[in-house]
Amino acid sequence: MQSFNSISKEYLAQRKQAGETCRLFNKSPSKGNLKRIKELFLKSGDGVIIESGFHCDYGNQIVIGDRTFININCTLLDSPLANYSIMIGDDCLIGPNVQLLAVSHAVNPTERLNKENFAAPIAISNNVWIGAGAIILAGVSIGENSIVAAGALVTKNVMDNTVVAGNPATKIRDI
């Protein structure tokens, strides 16, 4: 994990700009406002669809592959740090109210007083389906063709071709 101070002037300004872009899109999810959202990202593939209610903190380290669909009210709590991104592969389905949380805070109460954030990358491989209301935590990778069931809290890596469910998410079966 890498730490950064999210309340520095630089990061506050970046979050404000990204937040305004998200607000405009969510108020009016037109093609022009969708284009502005995608321009925040490090990379957005062809045929990416994002429904309204989308939120990200910075966007500049988010990578989304081709033909990925992000349903309503998705939150990507992302980091501005290089190599601490949220990467979503090709042909993914992200359900409504999904949260990808690549940023967290210190467990130690004294360290938390400094308001430092800790970031670790999230990697979603190709052809993954993340069900409604699932939460993926920092540092987690989801393997190719896998399914994260609705409402799952994913705290550990998921292997390829696996279905996980529950809180914390555990393997249900192979695909």
Side-chain angles (χ1 to χ4, degrees), residues 89-106:
D90 298 336
D91 301 304
C92 291
L93 301 170
I94 311 293
N97 301 307
V98 165
Q99 298 177 57
L100 305 178
L101 309 176
V103 177
S104 189
H105 298 285

Side-chain angles (χ1 to χ4, degrees), residues 25 39 43 46-47 78 91 107 110 124 141 149 158 170-172:
F25 172 72
E39 287 172 351
K43 178 183 180 279
D46 293 332
D78 58 314
D91 301 304
V107 173
T110 305
I124 314 262
S141 295
V158 175
T170 57
K171 181 179 176 179
I172 301 301

Side-chain angles (χ1 to χ4, degrees), residues 25-91:
F25 172 72
N26 295 330
K27 184 177 179 181
S28 175
S30 66
K31 286 184 181 180
N33 284 334
L34 176 58
K35 182 180 177 185
R36 287 180 192 89
I37 289 281
K38 290 178 179 182
E39 287 172 351
L40 288 174
F41 302 155
L42 185 61
K43 178 183 180 279
S44 180
D46 293 332
V48 170
I49 297 171
I50 301 173
E51 297 290 341
S52 65
F54 178 84
H55 175 79
C56 68
D57 274 354
Y58 303 95
N60 63 333
Q61 295 299 312
I62 294 172
V63 174
I64 301 177
D66 296 335
R67 300 169 305 279
T68 286
F69 176 80
I70 299 176
N71 213 322
I72 61 171
N73 300 324
C74 184
T75 299
L76 277 61
L77 192 59
D78 58 314
S79 158
L81 304 175
N83 301 318
Y84 291 90
S85 62
I86 295 176
M87 298 182 71
I88 302 171
D90 298 336
D91 301 304

Side-chain angles (χ1 to χ4, degrees), residues 99-163:
Q99 298 177 57
L100 305 178
L101 309 176
V103 177
S104 189
H105 298 285
V107 173
N108 180 302
T110 305
E111 291 176 8
R112 215 170 32 248
L113 289 173
N114 295 328
K115 306 296 188 263
E116 287 287 311
N117 287 334
F118 294 90
I122 292 175
I124 314 262
S125 296
N126 296 331
N127 198 30
V128 169
W129 173 21
I130 301 176
I135 300 172
I136 314 295
L137 296 184
V140 169
S141 295
I142 309 293
E144 194 163 306
N145 303 316
S146 293
I147 297 173
V148 175
L153 175 61
V154 184
T155 61
K156 295 181 179 171
N157 293 344
V158 175
M159 301 301 292
D160 291 351
N161 304 301
T162 303
V163 178

Side-chain angles (χ1 to χ4, degrees), residues 1-21:
M1 286 209 176
Q2 175 74 30
S3 69
F4 68 102
N5 183 343
S6 66
I7 57 175
S8 72
K9 286 183 182 182
E10 174 190 2
Y11 291 145
L12 284 171
Q14 286 180 14
R15 271 200 323 281
K16 183 178 179 182
Q17 180 182 5
E20 184 59 25
T21 302

